[in-house]
Amino acid sequence: TVETAARLGLEVLTLYAFSIENWKRPESEVTTLMGLLKHYLRSELDTLLRNNIRFRVVGRGDELAPDVRQELARAEERTALDTGLQFNIALNYGGRAEITDAVKRLFAEMLREGRTPEAIDEQALASHLYTAGQPDPDLLIRTSGEMRVSNFLLWQISYSEIVIVKKMWPDFRQGDLFAAVEEYNKRHRRFGAL
């Protein structure tokens, strides 16, 4: 999916890999997921570099285990100069937590600079999100047939088109991405206007 997104010329792809709520899963499952993450980072780094894909973590990465943080930092550093697809992986992520963290950072900055609450606007808050500087998603692909956004990019998806795919994420393939993009291309986006 990541390579295909890069070939399609997409600017940004964000995959929801591990939510804050996922810590409630059995410890053995969390350990397995983190092991798979480290394996993926090691085995796919050359693919990211070959395809000019820049890798970045969005979420509370500082709360992950040191060995996981080390692999993530290595991938971010090695791909930092890549200029193609921006590939975000949402780890230890939650949309509400992201907004809460953004408000805290914005408030701390305003206190340091002596600014009043009147200085707060959408742009000020957006500039403190994990995805600051990136465009809002045009398309949200929801796998597993679920009809909810599951606390994912709550601020950013306010005008995203949503395509529901019944397949579970591990079964999502290149053709599914093509079909979702094709469906998106048929839509007329109004952004609240007529």
Side-chain angles (χ1 to χ4, degrees):
T1 298
V2 176
E3 289 177 66
T4 301
R7 287 190 200 109
L8 287 173
L10 301 183
E11 189 176 338
V12 179
L13 174 69
T14 303
L15 299 180
Y16 203 172
F18 191 85
S19 75
I20 290 172
E21 293 79 17
N22 287 155
W23 292 110
K24 298 174 190 170
R25 293 182 177 195
E27 185 177 340
S28 61
E29 187 176 333
V30 171
T31 301
T32 298
L33 290 171
M34 292 300 155
L36 286 170
L37 173 63
K38 290 187 299 185
H39 171 76
Y40 169 82
L41 290 169
R42 288 184 206 120
S43 66
E44 297 298 325
L45 182 57
D46 287 339
T47 301
L48 296 176
L49 292 166
R50 228 181 5 262
N51 288 281
N52 195 31
I53 298 170
R54 185 175 178 195
F55 176 81
R56 185 166 165 231
V57 175
V58 295
R60 293 177 173 171
D62 56 329
E63 296 176 358
L64 298 169
D67 59 330
V68 174
R69 288 195 318 263
Q70 181 180 351
E71 289 295 333
L72 292 168
R74 180 174 170 263
E76 286 182 328
E77 289 168 15
R78 294 276 313 275
T79 63
L81 299 178
D82 288 348
T83 57
L85 174 73
Q86 172 65 60
F87 170 38
N88 297 324
I89 187 164
L91 286 169
N92 198 28
Y93 175 87
R96 289 179 174 182
E98 177 179 25
I99 294 168
T100 300
D101 290 350
V103 168
K104 288 177 182 177
R105 285 192 295 274
L106 176 58
F107 184 68
E109 177 183 290
M110 291 178 70
L111 284 176
R112 280 191 311 274
E113 297 174 1
R115 292 189 284 156
T116 64
E118 289 73 29
I120 298 173
D121 60 13
E122 288 185 18
Q123 183 55 42
L125 184 58
S127 70
H128 290 80
L129 294 171
Y130 302 147
T131 59
Q134 298 180 14
D136 288 341
D138 293 312
L139 173 63
L140 170 68
I141 302 171
R142 179 55 163 115
T143 58
S144 75
E146 297 289 349
M147 301 298 282
R148 63 176 185 269
V149 295
S150 295
N151 201 16
F152 182 59
L153 299 177
L154 296 177
W155 178 277
Q156 298 90 331
I157 64 169
S158 61
Y159 285 101
S160 298
E161 294 293 320
I162 300 174
V163 172
I164 308 294
V165 178
K166 291 190 179 192
K167 289 183 178 180
M168 301 297 277
W169 171 248
D171 300 321
F172 190 85
R173 299 287 181 259
Q174 178 177 343
D176 301 308
L177 179 59
F178 289 152
V181 170
E182 184 177 337
E183 171 65 27
Y184 166 81
N185 284 331
K186 292 177 185 175
R187 299 189 184 174
H188 175 68
R189 300 183 74 198
R190 296 182 302 275
F191 300 96
L194 294 177

